Amino acid sequence: MDSISCKAYGKINLSLDVVGKRADGYHLVRMVMQQVGICDSIEIRKTEGTDISVSTKSGEIPTGPDNLVFRAADVMRKTFGITDGLSIHLVKRIPVAAGMAGGSSDAAAVFRGIRDLYGLPADNRRLEELALPLGADIPYCIAGGTQLSEGIGEILTVLPPSPSCTLLVVKPDLYIATPAVYKAFDHIPEREVIHPDVDAQVDAIRKGDLFGVAKTCGNVLEQQTGADHPVIGQLERFFLSHGALQSIMTGSGPTVFAIYDDHAKAEQAMEELKRVESFASFQKFVTGFVPGMDA
């Protein structure tokens, strides 16, 4: 086999709590991560020579050594003594800088893809260990699905699949730098922080209770990001007034998602959203939860 194709799925945070900060500046989190059906496509091909090359028609991401896809391929080559060159082509669909772990998911797909292309003796746990130095979200993206993430994101507990639903996902025309979001969060007095009940959400997932999952959604980072960018709240209020069970920001933003238990109602809400002039240029998706990957 000289090439392999794989998918890289985006994620949302059904809940995201910050519970502390390490001496090295990394924030300690507790969050429920959920893979969704918005995905990038990646083709990995063996080539002559020893170079790694990354190509994409997206004009929003680098293709050199700074790209996580490039760095993931480099780690795999060095760890397993791969001497072939590798050509990696990436088709982007996950919005960039959206709080959906697009770059992390692409890197995770490369870790899995190179393993499978060469039949390497590395299960998902081994890949997670190799991926962590590149980014705290990448270990989760190796297997995806529904997981409780703790520590700086490296302590993972696989959960049962979340109950099925329809999701509307919207990425406003904003770029929000993750480090700036966490820095702003650090200035909120602890007594004012509204922490989500992550344990209650995990319990609802285990029970297959969609209404319980929706009720316990929450994101501490939205307190500051939502205040700085009112369009986040505007989108959430739109969805809640159009039949959503819940609507919150994912990750460090600015993407907003809405949970629907009625697909027809979700489709209708999306059609209404498309007619709102101030939201016209936003990236919009109708999708759902995606189960995790084995191995």
Side-chain angles (χ1 to χ4, degrees), residues 185-217:
F185 171 81
D186 288 339
H187 288 89
I188 302 175
E190 174 57 31
R191 65 181 181 277
E192 297 178 11
V193 176
I194 303 171
H195 293 279
D197 193 339
V198 178
D199 289 330
Q201 185 166 76
V202 169
D203 187 54
I205 290 170
R206 294 190 188 280
K207 293 177 179 176
D209 176 8
L210 179 62
F211 292 90
V213 172
K215 181 180 178 181
T216 51
C217 286

Side-chain angles (χ1 to χ4, degrees), residues 168-170 266-274 284-286:
L168 300 186
V169 178
V170 179
E267 291 277 12
Q268 183 178 357
M270 180 59 82
E271 290 306 312
E272 292 286 341
L273 183 77
K274 291 177 180 177
K284 309 173 185 72
F285 306 87
V286 179

Side-chain angles (χ1 to χ4, degrees), residues 30-291:
R30 293 192 80 232
M31 53 192 180
V32 175
M33 311 270 270
Q34 175 62 58
Q35 192 170 252
V36 300
I38 305 165
C39 68
D40 296 341
S41 298
I42 295 174
E43 182 183 48
I44 306 169
R45 184 176 296 276
K46 299 176 184 178
T47 62
E48 296 181 0
T50 59
D51 293 337
I52 298 170
S53 65
V54 178
S55 61
T56 179
K57 292 182 179 179
S58 169
E60 300 181 271
I61 58 175
T63 56
D66 290 338
N67 188 300
L68 281 175
V69 162
F70 186 106
R71 294 171 66 193
D74 189 49
V75 167
M76 290 295 282
R77 276 173 34 107
K78 290 176 179 176
T79 300
F80 295 100
I82 296 169
T83 57
D84 296 320
L86 294 170
S87 171
I88 304 170
H89 182 67
L90 172 61
V91 178
K92 287 295 296 178
R93 298 183 190 89
I94 303 170
V96 175
M100 296 187 68
S104 295
S105 185
D106 293 340
V110 169
F111 276 107
R112 294 193 313 270
I114 292 176
R115 173 192 64 190
D116 297 344
L117 179 62
Y118 286 91
L120 299 173
D123 60 10
N124 283 349
R125 183 62 64 186
R126 174 64 173 139
L127 295 184
E128 290 168 9
E129 294 169 356
L130 293 172
L132 181 59
L134 300 188
D137 278 348
I138 306 177
Y140 159 76
C141 294
I142 296 290
T146 311
Q147 299 192 50
L148 172 66
S149 174
E150 299 176 280
I152 63 169
E154 85 285 11
I155 304 171
L156 298 167
T157 303
V158 176
L159 300 173
S162 293
S164 63
C165 66
T166 300
L167 292 175
L168 300 186
V169 178
V170 179
K171 160 66 165 58
D173 295 330
L174 296 172
Y175 173 78
I176 297 176
T178 297
V181 171
Y182 278 95
K183 184 176 181 180
F185 171 81
D186 288 339
H187 288 89
I188 302 175
E190 174 57 31
R191 65 181 181 277
E192 297 178 11
V193 176
I194 303 171
H195 293 279
D197 193 339
V198 178
D199 289 330
Q201 185 166 76
V202 169
D203 187 54
I205 290 170
R206 294 190 188 280
K207 293 177 179 176
D209 176 8
L210 179 62
F211 292 90
V213 172
K215 181 180 178 181
T216 51
C217 286
N219 184 345
V220 293
L221 298 181
E222 187 175 335
Q223 286 181 242
Q224 186 63 48
T225 305
D228 293 340
H229 303 282
V231 69
I232 291 170
Q234 292 167 11
L235 283 167
E236 292 169 348
R237 289 189 292 274
F238 175 91
F239 288 131
L240 292 172
S241 67
H242 286 76
L245 300 180
Q246 182 61 279
S247 182
I248 68 167
M249 183 186 85
T250 182
S252 57
T255 300
V256 169
F257 69 89
I259 298 174
Y260 284 82
D261 64 333
D262 183 318
H263 182 76
K265 191 178 291 184
E267 291 277 12
Q268 183 178 357
M270 180 59 82
E271 290 306 312
E272 292 286 341
L273 183 77
K274 291 177 180 177
R275 289 194 276 271
V276 180
E277 185 175 353
S278 58
F279 300 155
S281 62
F282 296 177
Q283 293 174 270
K284 309 173 185 72
F285 306 87
V286 179
T287 186
F289 298 153
V290 173

